[in-house]
Amino acid sequence: MPSPLIDRISIELGAQEPWPKDVKLFQPYEVEQILLPDNANCLAVQAFLKMCNLEFQVEPRANAEDMSPTGKVPFIKVGRFVTAELEGIVQFVNGKDISLTDKLDNEQKSDLRAYMSLIKNVIEVAELYYCWNDRETYNEVTSVRNGSVYPWPLNHIKNIEKKHQVVKKLKVLDWYHKTIEEVHQEVQSCCEALNVRLDNKPYFFAEGPTELDALVFGHLFTILTTPLTRKDLAKIVRRIFNLDEKFDIDAKELHMQYRRLQAQLHPDKFTQKTAEEKEISESFSSLVNKAYNNLQFPLKRAEHLLELRGDQLNEKENAVDDPEFLMEMMELNEELENTTNVEKLKALNIKNRTQLEIITKNIDECFKENDLKQAKYFVIKMKYYTSLGNRINAILRELGIVD
């Protein structure tokens, strides 16, 4: 294992060379192998390098941990030099006179270090606890993924070795004997402290993004998007940072958020920027448009929420097994085909909207209760009524009636 002195010498020597275009970032395989804490740290480093506008390529390796000079991932290879983990990579980059914190004063830098330490000592340790000390998560997720890229019995041996290392660390940190409720309380306190410091601002410091933002993003995004048997960590993050997945939203607030984001990201704001910044602006502006388009319509919003909950509709589920309802829809469609009377069409439209309002409330209740089976039933019904409403409005427009 390299000594701190050797690490420091490597950083100083590496700083004398320009940043090459063939930098490699090594990490475990993302789809089938990488675990929650490693994925969070790898994503944090990627975010940091992107914040610094530094080029790199992700190189997945089954034995990335064994290749790393510190035994931890990720690590980067920059020319002749290899540096691991966010802290070491930040130091290496700073040595090249590239820094995200050069505008911070000493007190702010001290705060930054304190919050980064809080995340490493609480959030990351909680992730390790979940993966290796929670029996359900270990059996259904960790043991399967960690050894997935190795043949038997090597996969089993790798799991035993890694679990032994993590358990030893948890015991040293006095986390091994914590209950799951105590772990949740630790994470909640940490997230509350981060939320207070962030205070609804885009970054932790007004001067712009720093490695703290990269670290927080890496861990919180990974917690929110990683499929686990327990959903408690994600629920804590959503609740404290006001990221709850909910069906019932304020349309006016949604539109205000959309305009606020586009005011920051629209390509027109980047006409004098670099080509890379223009490309990033176009990408994120397009993403905001797509999100707004999905969220402003109840049907798309419901389908998206089902997908987030891991239970999206499939082709076989697009029909309702309810003969009475299907007969009603058939009669309404026949009535629509046989009339051009504007008053009847308007009355039919009002009736259809009323049904959609009722179904919308039903779907909202289902999502609040996490009753996804019943939510899917009502979403399918909503598809029928939405299609009927579109047909009614199309006929009214043909007749010169604008709603």
Side-chain angles (χ1 to χ4, degrees):
M1 185 72 66
S3 69
L5 176 60
I6 294 176
D7 287 342
R8 184 60 190 167
I9 293 172
S10 296
I11 290 172
E12 291 179 354
L13 289 173
Q16 300 171 10
E17 300 179 359
W19 189 268
K21 293 185 178 181
D22 61 346
V23 172
K24 300 289 192 298
L25 184 148
F26 293 88
Q27 65 175 57
Y29 284 98
E30 185 173 344
V31 176
E32 63 268 43
Q33 182 189 18
I34 199 166
L35 299 177
L36 175 61
D38 291 337
N39 197 17
N41 287 322
C42 291
L43 188 58
V45 169
Q46 291 180 43
F48 170 74
L49 293 176
K50 286 181 179 293
M51 289 174 179
C52 296
N53 294 318
L54 297 174
E55 296 183 31
F56 65 93
Q57 293 179 339
V58 176
E59 290 285 337
R61 292 287 189 276
N63 60 338
E65 281 191 349
D66 298 329
M67 294 170 61
S68 171
T70 65
K72 296 181 179 180
V73 291
F75 67 93
I76 59 173
K77 184 177 185 299
V78 186
R80 299 176 292 116
F81 302 95
V82 176
T83 308
E85 302 179 69
L86 179 62
E87 184 178 356
I89 292 169
V90 169
Q91 291 180 4
F92 186 86
V93 171
N94 289 349
K96 294 181 176 293
D97 291 327
I98 302 171
S99 174
L100 299 177
T101 61
D102 53 357
K103 295 182 180 179
L104 303 185
D105 59 33
N106 289 335
E107 184 177 351
Q108 289 174 318
K109 290 179 180 179
S110 178
D111 285 348
L112 179 142
R113 289 191 294 271
Y115 281 106
M116 291 187 69
S117 177
L118 180 66
I119 296 162
K120 300 291 285 186
N121 292 330
V122 178
I123 301 294
E124 184 173 334
V125 178
E127 293 166 350
L128 287 170
Y129 180 101
Y130 251 66
C131 289
W132 296 96
N133 208 36
D134 177 66
R135 182 174 300 177
E136 186 177 2
T137 305
Y138 176 78
N139 290 336
E140 297 188 20
V141 180
T142 306
S143 62
V144 177
R145 291 181 63 83
N146 186 68
S148 63
V149 296
Y150 300 102
W152 189 89
L154 186 57
N155 58 345
H156 184 61
I157 295 172
K158 283 289 184 180
N159 284 341
I160 293 174
E161 289 179 348
K162 182 67 175 181
K163 186 168 186 177
H164 177 74
Q165 295 172 5
V166 174
V167 166
K168 184 178 180 180
K169 179 176 182 177
L170 292 175
K171 286 181 177 179
V172 170
L173 297 174
D174 200 25
W175 274 67
Y176 180 72
H177 295 291
K178 285 184 183 290
T179 65
I180 196 72
E181 290 77 16
E182 290 173 330
V183 171
H184 293 161
Q185 185 58 52
E186 293 276 6
V187 173
Q188 179 173 311
S189 298
C190 178
C191 288
E192 287 172 348
L194 291 171
N195 192 40
V196 169
R197 181 66 180 82
L198 192 58
D199 192 27
N200 291 319
K201 298 188 295 290
Y203 306 114
F204 282 93
F205 298 95
E207 288 74 11
T210 64
E211 49 265 33
L212 172 60
D213 297 277
L215 185 63
V216 171
F217 168 74
H219 283 277
L220 298 193
F221 182 83
T222 305
I223 287 173
L224 290 172
T225 58
T226 301
L228 294 175
T229 50
R230 291 182 180 272
K231 309 295 184 183
D232 304 88
L233 290 182
K235 288 179 180 177
I236 291 170
V237 171
R238 288 194 184 97
R239 184 180 72 253
I240 293 176
F241 291 94
N242 195 28
L243 299 173
D244 284 331
E245 296 172 353
K246 55 185 180 181
F247 178 70
D248 184 27
I249 62 175
D250 186 324
K252 290 183 179 179
E253 177 65 22
L254 174 66
H255 186 66
M256 287 176 59
Q257 292 283 9
Y258 168 73
R259 290 177 61 86
R260 181 181 65 81
L261 288 171
Q262 285 294 23
Q264 296 175 335
L265 299 169
H266 195 277
D268 288 348
K269 302 285 184 179
F270 291 78
T271 54
Q272 303 301 318
K273 302 294 184 179
T274 65
E276 183 180 9
E277 288 174 312
K278 290 178 181 178
E279 183 179 348
I280 293 173
S281 166
E282 291 173 0
S283 175
F284 277 93
S285 179
S286 175
L287 188 62
V288 169
N289 282 332
K290 182 179 179 181
Y292 181 63
N293 187 50
N294 280 338
L295 294 175
Q296 68 174 323
F297 299 110
L299 178 57
K300 288 185 177 182
R301 189 163 69 243
E303 291 176 321
H304 179 64
L305 195 50
L306 280 174
E307 186 175 350
L308 288 177
R309 300 281 177 92
D311 201 7
Q312 61 264 40
L313 291 171
N314 57 51
E315 291 183 3
K316 295 180 180 179
E317 294 177 309
N318 280 325
V320 175
D321 186 15
D322 185 342
E324 185 177 343
F325 170 74
L326 293 174
M327 182 61 69
E328 177 189 355
M329 295 307 300
M330 188 180 299
E331 291 173 354
L332 287 171
N333 277 286
E334 288 178 357
E335 185 178 351
L336 184 59
E337 290 176 357
N338 296 327
T339 184
T340 56
N341 183 287
V342 172
E343 294 306 318
K344 284 186 178 181
L345 287 168
K346 286 184 176 180
L348 194 58
N349 206 16
I350 292 172
K351 180 180 178 181
N352 190 69
R353 287 180 178 178
T354 301
Q355 289 298 322
L356 279 170
E357 289 175 2
I358 293 171
I359 290 176
T360 298
K361 291 179 181 178
N362 290 333
I363 292 174
D364 184 46
E365 289 300 318
C366 290
F367 278 125
K368 286 179 179 177
E369 299 296 327
N370 203 34
D371 186 351
L372 301 187
K373 181 178 180 180
Q374 194 67 8
K376 291 167 79 172
Y377 170 77
F378 285 117
V379 170
I380 295 168
K381 276 193 168 185
M382 179 179 276
K383 282 191 170 186
Y384 282 93
Y385 282 112
T386 300
S387 177
L388 181 64
N390 290 338
R391 287 188 62 197
I392 295 171
N393 288 322
I395 294 172
L396 286 171
R397 284 194 296 270
E398 288 177 2
L399 295 172
I401 307 298
V402 180
D403 190 1

